[in-house]
Structure formats: C-alpha cells, structure tokens
Amino acid sequence: MADEQVTYAQAGVDIEEGARAVDAIKGVVHSTYRPEVVGDIGGFGGLFSLAAAKEMDDPLLVSGTDGVGTKLKLAQLVGKHDTVGIDLVAMCANDILATGAEPLFFLDYVAVGKLDAEAMAKIVGGIGEGCRQAGCALIGGEMAEHPGVMDPDDYDLSGFCVGLVDRPKMLDPQAVREGDVLVGLASSGLHSNGYSLARKVCVEGLTAEEAQAPVEALGGQSVADALLTPTRIYVKPVRAVMEGCPGAVRALAHITGGGITENLNRALPAGCDAVVELGTWPVPPVVRYVCDAAHLAEDEALKTFNMGLGLVLIVDPERVDEVCAALAAAGEAPRRVGRVTAGTGVVRYENEGSLYGA
C-alpha cells in the first residue's frame, strides 16, 4: 500500500467533470419532459405519473432495452457523437411500438473510458432528440467512467424505455389473418444493425479522413455520413394511424438484426406465412453499397439488413387504403410489399432476384 493519499481523480475518475457533464445536459433533459414527469434529474430514481392509465380498460406497461452496438466505433473514428443517441432511443421505442404502446419515458446508461463534458453533451443531446421524436421523457440515466477498463476515447450506450398500451387496443400477432396486407415503411439506411459486417467490408483500414471522403456510389455522401445516418423513429406516424384508424393494423414488425426474414415472422401466428414481394420498394444506396462490398447473396442480405424497410405493418385488407392515406398524412410513403397466406409462421419471398429492382 502507498503511504501517500491516492484520490479518486488520481485513479482516473473525475467527479468534477461529471458534475460539469450533468450541468451540460440539464437543458436537453428538460426539453423532453411531459406533464407526467414528477421532480427533476438528480434524484435516486425518476418519477412518472401513471394517472393516464386510469382511463384505460386494462392498462399494460411495456418495456424494452437495447444498445447501439458497433455503430459506435465508426462514430468514435470520425468524432461524430451527436446522432448515435437517436439510434439508442429508436431501437427501444420502435420495439415497444410493436405492441401499439405509447412510449412514456426513457433512461440511458453511458459508459466512458474518460469523461468529457462536451462530448457527453453531444451524446445526450442525441438521446434527447430521439426522445422528442418518440414523444417520451428522458427522466434519468447514468454516466459511468471506467478507467483501466475502456480506452479514454471509448464509450458504450444502452437504454431502457417504458410505454403504456390498453390491452383491448394492443397489436397482437394472434389477430393476423390470411389475406392481410403487408405495408412497409422506409428505413433511413442500415439503422443500427449489421455494423460488424458493414465496418469490416467498408470501413476497416480507413483513416478518419478517408471515411469522410465523398463516394460516388453513395450519391456524394461519405461512408461515415451514410453509415451514421440515424435510425428512424416510427412512433408518431404509427400512433396516429392507430388512433385515426382503430383496429385496422393487426400487428407490426420492427426490422432489426436478422433482417426481414427473422423479424417479420415475429409478427405472425403459427398458422400464417408472410409472403414478401421483392422489388416493390426502393433499397437505399448505402444498403446496396454494403451488400455489394460484402458480395452478399440476396437471401443472405434479407436476413442480415433491413434492406430499406424499417417497419412492416400487417393490415386488414379492407382498410389498406385508409391506413396508407393516414400514413401519408403523417409524412410517410407507405408501400404495399406483400400479403399473409396460410402457412407455418415463416417469411417467404416472391420475385426472387428482383430485390434491387424498385
């Protein structure tokens, strides 16, 4: 044991910088607050009123947790930290949306090698923007400094979202029927999935400057800008459709890791298949760029990336026009991308070889 005093700061944890970071994010946190938020940040727990649940027949809390994954390594390479927080909220909020739930509040966890208040403000600023897009309040979180465990410039994000849905209005795969229509909503790119592959074939070996150079195949965007495009948050348009067209949407699938093949089946009952018609929606340039760089076969691409569909709604066939009109009014460009048939609960494809044909 050393004879001299060793402080927490000397061990690598800067409490004063942590306090500055908290001060730097207060405005962002407050900008996400809803009327149900009780108190302020700084307590040992976030408080949120559930008075709205009293108006429901059978209120259910819905929770989801996720991270951003290795997309963060690209953000760290080029020093762009203001959008990955949107990804964090999106991955959680879109997941609980699959039940029809309204996201209520969000908590984040940020682990860093060396705390920097300015960088933290950018990260949490993105989380705040994601919460505003999802309509949920950022009511708490944790910033943890991990010297000796993480490199000084390294960080990781995780989040937790809680929502509320009335059981009679809940979206449920058991409500899906043969003849229902698949309606797809566009993704903004890869969203937050498949980045271990994307980085390996598109980023590995590049300097920060090279990653930020314009690429013709990406329409003049750089690899970094294209891959760091934040995940779309679908809460507001889908909730608008649920409220304006009650009962028209049977179920929905958030297309994340595993692609269309391994996510759309999660919105199906055991006796139905989803038949997806390839070529009925456009594939974003960045998605094709990564698939070409990896030389992915069509079937492999469809079970790896979202391929341009971030969300798929399963809709009552007699109300498809109504739903599509409501989605368009909410700013979406919905596409009919397939149908539900009798089957065994799997995803099948038509027009094979036409994935990039739209």
Side-chain angles (χ1 to χ4, degrees), residues 12-348:
V13 177
D14 191 337
I15 296 175
E16 292 182 358
E17 187 69 6
R20 285 191 289 272
V22 171
D23 287 339
I25 67 173
K26 280 185 177 178
V28 170
V29 172
H30 291 160
S31 74
T32 71
Y33 277 4
R34 297 165 47 123
E36 301 96 332
V37 175
V38 178
D40 201 354
I41 60 171
F44 289 100
L47 302 175
F48 193 94
S49 170
L50 284 178
K54 295 178 181 178
E55 305 300 320
M56 294 184 172
D57 294 328
D58 187 2
L60 299 176
L61 289 175
V62 185
S63 61
T65 186
D66 211 332
V68 181
T70 64
K71 187 173 187 175
L72 294 176
K73 300 304 293 184
L74 179 58
Q76 292 160 17
L77 173 67
V78 300
K80 182 175 173 58
H81 310 298
D82 58 343
T83 60
V84 289
I86 301 174
D87 292 291
L88 179 65
V89 177
M91 298 307 289
C92 299
N94 288 340
D95 272 356
I96 70 169
L97 179 64
T99 64
E102 176 189 5
L104 299 178
F105 59 84
F106 191 86
L107 295 97
D108 61 53
Y109 177 83
V110 187
V112 299
K114 176 68 176 174
L115 191 60
D116 179 276
E118 183 179 349
M120 186 62 62
K122 291 179 180 178
I123 294 168
V124 178
I127 297 172
E129 173 59 24
C131 286
R132 289 189 292 272
Q133 291 183 22
C136 61
L138 178 58
I139 64 169
E142 169 73 1
M143 293 180 291
E145 203 167 10
H146 290 172
V149 176
M150 303 174 74
D151 292 334
D153 294 331
D154 196 13
Y155 64 88
D156 197 11
L157 304 179
S158 58
F160 182 84
C161 190
V162 173
L164 185 67
V165 67
D166 199 356
R167 191 194 294 263
K169 299 178 181 179
M170 186 174 67
L171 302 181
D172 185 357
Q174 297 306 314
V176 172
R177 300 289 182 265
E178 183 178 355
D180 286 349
V181 176
L182 308 179
V183 175
L185 301 185
S187 71
S188 55
L190 296 188
H191 283 183
S192 299
N193 301 107
Y195 275 79
S196 295
L197 174 58
R199 288 189 307 108
K200 181 176 181 62
V201 298
C202 297
V203 180
E204 197 171 274
L206 296 184
T207 65
E209 292 74 19
E210 290 168 336
Q212 295 176 93
V215 176
E216 185 177 351
L218 295 173
Q221 268 194 313
S222 68
V223 169
D225 285 344
L227 289 178
L228 286 175
T229 301
T231 306
R232 291 198 60 214
I233 296 175
Y234 299 95
V235 172
K236 291 181 179 178
V238 171
R239 291 282 305 165
V241 169
M242 290 183 62
E243 292 173 7
C245 312
V249 179
R250 315 264 207 210
L252 68 81
H254 180 205
I255 310 303
T256 56
I260 298 170
T261 304
E262 296 183 7
N263 283 286
L264 183 51
N265 62 332
R266 297 164 67 183
L268 297 173
C272 290
D273 287 354
V275 179
V276 177
E277 300 170 13
L278 300 181
T280 55
W281 73 89
V283 177
V286 65
V287 177
R288 182 161 190 175
Y289 181 80
V290 174
C291 290
D292 287 348
H295 306 291
L296 284 188
E298 191 176 77
D299 63 336
E300 191 68 24
L302 287 162
K303 65 180 182 182
T304 304
F305 301 114
N306 64 57
M307 301 312 296
L309 295 181
L311 206 73
V312 177
L313 291 77
I314 303 180
V315 180
D316 181 339
E318 296 183 359
R319 303 183 67 185
V320 175
D321 290 342
E322 177 188 353
V323 167
C324 287
L327 286 167
E332 295 290 334
R335 297 268 184 153
R336 300 189 191 197
V337 298
R339 64 194 185 279
V340 175
T341 66
T344 57
V346 301
V347 178
R348 297 186 284 115

